[in-house]
Amino acid sequence: MKKTLSRRARIATGGAVLAAVAAGTFGTVAANASAPDATQGSAVAAVPAAEAGKRDTTTSTHLTIDAATEAAQAALKAAKKEGQRITVAVVDRNGNTILTMRGDGAGPQSYESAVKKAFTAVAWNAPTTELAGRLESAPNLKDIPGTLFLGGGVPVTSGKAPIAGIGVAGAPSGTLDEKFAQAGAEAID
């Protein structure tokens, strides 16, 4: 005599079978992932790290987070003294953002603009007002991703090499933005 299982029993049995199959599959995959390769014996040989020679490397100078913070606070203070609401960004030599500070009441567009101005200044090791003037002879410069050729960005150098960029946005003119960015740069010891 054939016994018929209820719907509930069939679902419970099917779930148990699926769980068992899944557990078995996971166990097999996990065991294979941690098992040494049979063709290499019981231990896998470690490959030593390649050592680069001195002539194959370079050392770069970076602005510390403390110096970046000091610069940003100085820029914000200079702007506040003149009643301006700005955002200031400090980027490293590679254009990576170290920090961004959005002053009270600064517009939402100022955040991205400050970062781009800082990047532009460090990339060309020149204030962005100077770079904006170059657009007349090389208008395609503005097409480079991540750049903004408006006043408000200044480079920070060490031994004449750019190590950071400070960008300010939010004041009514690029001249003011750059004035505040310069105040930030001058605050760095």
Side-chain angles (χ1 to χ4, degrees), residues 67-161:
T69 302
E70 189 177 323
Q73 289 173 334
L76 286 168
K77 185 177 179 181
K80 186 175 184 177
K81 193 181 286 187
E82 294 193 28
Q84 299 301 317
R85 299 177 191 142
I86 64 159
T87 296
V88 59
V90 182
V91 301
D92 68 11
R93 174 62 186 111
N94 299 320
N96 299 312
T97 304
I98 299 172
L99 68 81
T100 305
M101 291 184 173
R102 185 172 166 261
D104 295 335
Q109 77 288 356
S110 64
Y111 185 93
E112 186 175 348
S113 297
V115 172
K116 286 182 175 185
K117 289 177 183 183
F119 173 79
T120 305
V122 74
W124 277 274
N125 194 23
T128 53
T129 52
E130 178 186 318
L131 297 169
R134 294 182 192 176
L135 288 178
E136 290 178 24
S137 61
N140 292 347
L141 281 177
K142 70 181 180 335
D143 297 333
I144 297 172
T147 59
L148 186 58
F149 291 88
L150 297 175
V154 298
V156 176
T157 60
S158 177
K160 298 186 182 181

